[in-house]
Amino acid sequence: MRSLSLLFVMLLTACGKADSEQVGAVDTVFQWLGPDHKIVVEAYDDPKVAGVTCYVSRAKTGGIKGGLGLAEDKSEASIACRQTGAISFPTGKPLERQEEMFNERISLVFKKLRVVRMVDVKRNTLVYLTYSDRVIEGSPQNSVTAVPLPAGTVVPLKP
């Protein structure tokens, strides 16, 4: 029994959260026991593009299961990415034309919220897409936003 508890704790630790900062939250449904259901807004700085921050709003399930981290959050999310400083590429490594910027679990094990960065070379724009997936079945619900790059800014791309 003790090894099962240890395995459970290790599993929860491995399903960690992407680096985000909660900007705010609003309650949507009152719960007698545990936290209320809410909509949270979190800020994620693009780890490979300095000066770009993505704001993601999503539902967070409350109640007893939500308070214990056992609830499955809804697949709906919205994203808005903005230039928040001078845009640069500090890692010095070229970007993929399309890559996952970050992900965060929204259920105990099987469901993740994902944000993918795409480079639109023709329009010199970074496009960000958010969606959720499951091990068995994902959701077609998604949200997209774009950050036009200043004139003369060249994205270092992998060939």
Side-chain angles (χ1 to χ4, degrees):
M1 182 67 177
R2 186 173 181 184
S3 62
L4 185 59
S5 297
L6 181 61
L7 179 64
F8 183 71
V9 170
M10 288 172 49
L11 180 63
L12 285 177
T13 304
C15 296
K17 197 173 175 178
D19 290 331
S20 68
E21 177 183 332
Q22 184 169 315
V23 175
V26 294
D27 291 348
T28 57
V29 177
F30 173 76
Q31 294 291 298
W32 285 102
L33 298 172
D36 293 343
H37 296 321
K38 349 179 151 241
I39 296 173
V40 296
V41 176
E42 296 169 316
Y44 298 85
D45 293 323
D46 189 323
K48 293 187 178 178
V49 183
V52 174
T53 301
C54 292
Y55 298 90
V56 177
S57 68
R58 62 184 181 88
K60 191 158 179 79
T61 305
I64 294 172
K65 283 185 177 181
L68 295 173
L70 302 174
E72 182 172 303
D73 293 336
K74 295 190 181 233
S75 296
E76 301 146 6
S78 180
I79 188 170
C81 298
R82 298 294 183 262
Q83 179 177 352
T84 55
I87 293 180
S88 64
F89 306 93
T91 61
K93 297 178 185 168
L95 298 180
E96 299 281 345
R97 287 189 179 271
Q98 177 176 317
E99 71 179 300
E100 185 171 280
M101 190 176 102
F102 62 82
N103 67 67
E104 182 177 328
R105 72 176 183 86
I106 54 177
S107 76
L108 183 60
V109 179
F110 301 112
K111 195 174 184 183
K112 287 188 175 181
L113 174 72
R114 298 183 184 275
V115 174
V116 174
R117 177 193 333 97
M118 302 170 192
V119 180
D120 180 350
V121 176
K122 181 177 178 182
R123 293 164 192 84
N124 204 32
T125 300
L126 300 174
V127 179
Y128 295 85
L129 168 73
T130 186
Y131 67 100
S132 69
D133 68 358
R134 267 191 175 149
V135 171
I136 304 297
E137 177 183 334
S139 171
Q141 296 181 1
N142 64 82
S143 183
V144 68
T145 187
V147 177
L149 298 173
T153 302
V154 178
V155 179
L157 286 176
K158 287 188 177 177

